[in-house]
């Protein structure tokens, strides 16, 4: 453990508490999602420092910026998935960029339908675990409790669903 790592470790708790307060004050992130967002930010900070081979001057500012961007990405993804997996007839769902070409729209609709068919054909628990986690934001522990299975089983179900989706994305 080098001196920089030791300094970061000793002040990390205080910095994370300050980061949580700062993000809550800005009002862009719900307190319930902050831990996941901060974890993603820390991962990106480590990857960034590794790629750049240099430390970030202000890790706290970097984390705040990254966490806000990750949160915005999550909101965009959640909005899109709500539109895609809504109960409305497919033709009425407004989920495609209006500036796109008709061919692109047709390809996007076809891909969405293929993914929905793949998930519908999957094991019901696999589909339910995936949808609960990815679209409702339910934690693995909560899914395990709801489905009366272990968190390891939840991980396997979600991995299976992701493999199904990857296979559909690769099949062209």
């Amino acid at each position: 453990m080098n001196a920089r790592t030791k300094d970061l470790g000793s002040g990390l708790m205080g910095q994370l508490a300050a980061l949580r307060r700062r993000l809550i004050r800005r009002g862009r992130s719900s307190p319930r999602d902050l831990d996941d967002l901060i974890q993603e930010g820390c991962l990106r900070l480590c990857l960034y420092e590794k790629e750049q081979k240099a430390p970030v001057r202000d890790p706290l500012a970097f984390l705040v910026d990254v966490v806000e961007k990750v949160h915005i990405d999550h909101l965009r993804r959640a909005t899109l998935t709500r539109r895609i997996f809504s109960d409305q007839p497919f033709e009425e769902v407004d989920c495609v960029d209006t500036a796109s070409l008709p061919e692109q729209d047709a390809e996007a609709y076809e891909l969405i339908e293929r993914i929905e068919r793949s998930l519908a054909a999957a094991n019901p628990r696999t589909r339910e675990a995936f949808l609960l986690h990815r679209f409702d934001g339910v934690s693995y522990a909560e899914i395990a409790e709801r489905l009366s299975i272990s968190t390891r089983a939840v991980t396997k179900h979600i991995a299976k669903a992701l493999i199904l989706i990857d296979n559909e994305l690769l099949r062209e």
Side-chain angles (χ1 to χ4, degrees):
M1 180 184 276
N2 63 28
R4 176 169 165 68
T5 308
K6 201 174 220 179
D7 289 341
L8 282 175
S10 64
L12 186 60
M13 294 307 288
Q15 288 179 343
L16 289 177
L19 176 60
R20 286 179 64 81
R21 285 191 303 272
R22 191 171 176 179
L23 291 169
I24 290 171
R25 211 175 23 245
R26 287 186 175 192
R28 293 190 184 157
S29 304
S30 70
R32 168 176 83 91
D33 298 331
L34 282 178
D35 291 332
D36 290 337
L37 294 171
I38 290 171
Q39 181 179 6
E40 178 72 19
C42 290
L43 175 66
R44 290 187 185 194
L45 171 64
C46 292
L47 292 173
Y48 180 82
E49 286 184 333
K50 184 177 179 182
E51 288 172 6
Q52 299 300 317
K53 296 182 178 24
V56 172
R57 268 188 281 152
D58 187 355
L60 187 60
F62 182 93
L63 283 174
V64 169
D65 186 50
V66 168
V67 167
E68 287 180 347
K69 288 177 182 173
V70 169
H71 181 62
I72 289 168
D73 288 344
H74 285 217
L75 291 175
R76 286 180 182 153
R77 191 176 317 122
T79 300
L80 180 61
T81 54
R82 273 195 304 278
R83 289 178 181 170
I84 292 171
F85 291 100
S86 72
D87 291 334
Q88 293 178 334
F90 191 68
E91 295 76 26
E92 295 176 15
V93 177
D94 178 30
C95 65
V96 180
D97 184 4
T98 56
S100 63
L101 299 173
E103 299 84 32
Q104 292 171 323
D105 293 350
E107 288 175 12
Y109 286 131
E110 181 184 331
L111 178 60
I112 292 166
E113 287 177 343
R114 285 186 3 229
I115 291 171
E116 285 179 329
R117 281 194 302 270
S118 290
L119 288 175
N123 176 321
R125 282 193 171 190
T126 297
R127 183 177 194 278
E128 186 175 2
F130 176 77
L131 294 175
L132 283 171
H133 181 66
R134 291 295 173 126
F135 300 120
D136 295 337
V138 179
S139 72
Y140 282 27
E142 291 171 325
I143 295 169
E145 188 176 313
R146 282 189 195 183
L147 300 180
S148 300
I149 57 176
S150 68
T151 54
R152 186 174 179 167
V154 172
T155 302
K156 289 180 180 180
H157 282 299
I158 292 173
K160 286 178 190 176
L162 290 172
I163 289 169
L164 289 171
I165 291 170
D166 280 345
N167 288 339
E168 283 302 323
L169 293 172
L170 294 174
R171 194 174 65 103
E172 294 275 323

